[in-house]
């Protein structure tokens, strides 16, 4: 939330930003040492973002969403096929 609010202050009007993140629907969330509800540690630290909450924050910050998707198949690496959120948004 802080990142999106601060980004709003420094982005020029009409500027576009893109985000990609593992969502809290990703199965890897259930592995490793649990740090908090949406944070784990396996071989490294991971935070899992709630996709709908992220979109709500974008709306609160008055960004315009240009593209959005939450699904598997976006970044397959060996046996890992995470549930990712990809969002492109514009500063109005």
């Amino acid at each position: 939330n802080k990142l999106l609010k601060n980004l709003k202050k420094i982005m020029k009007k009409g500027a576009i930003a893109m985000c990609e993140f593992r969502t809290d629907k990703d199965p890897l969330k259930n592995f490793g040492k649990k740090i908090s509800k949406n944070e784990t540690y396996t071989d490294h630290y991971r935070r899992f973002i709630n996709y709908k909450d992220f979109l709500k924050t974008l709306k609160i910050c008055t960004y315009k969403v240009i593209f959005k998707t939450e699904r598997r198949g976006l970044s397959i690496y060996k046996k890992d096929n995470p549930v990712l959120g990809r969002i492109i948004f514009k500063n109005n």
Side-chain angles (χ1 to χ4, degrees):
N1 291 346
K2 287 181 185 180
L3 171 68
L4 292 174
K5 289 176 184 176
N6 287 331
L7 188 61
K8 183 75 174 178
K9 294 175 187 175
I10 62 170
M11 281 179 78
K12 292 181 180 180
K13 189 171 185 170
I16 294 173
M18 296 168 252
C19 294
E20 178 180 271
F21 50 88
R22 285 183 187 253
T23 73
D24 56 3
K25 292 180 183 172
D26 187 67
L28 194 57
K29 181 182 174 191
N30 300 316
F31 293 94
K33 181 180 178 185
K34 195 134 183 105
I35 298 170
S36 74
K37 179 183 172 191
N38 288 327
E39 296 172 290
T40 63
Y41 184 86
T42 54
D43 56 336
H44 66 277
Y45 170 83
R46 284 192 171 89
R47 176 179 293 152
F48 301 88
I49 309 284
N50 181 283
Y51 181 76
K52 289 181 182 179
D53 287 347
F54 193 88
L55 288 172
K56 285 178 191 174
T57 303
L58 288 174
K59 186 174 182 177
I60 290 167
C61 293
T62 68
Y63 289 110
K64 179 182 179 184
V65 175
I66 299 169
F67 173 83
K68 61 181 179 175
T69 189
E70 179 186 25
R71 63 183 178 89
R72 289 179 178 264
L74 297 173
S75 186
I76 301 168
Y77 179 73
K78 295 183 181 180
K79 293 182 181 181
D80 190 24
N81 186 7
V83 179
L84 294 181
R86 278 191 183 166
I87 302 174
I88 301 173
F89 58 95
K90 183 177 180 180
N91 188 19
N92 287 335

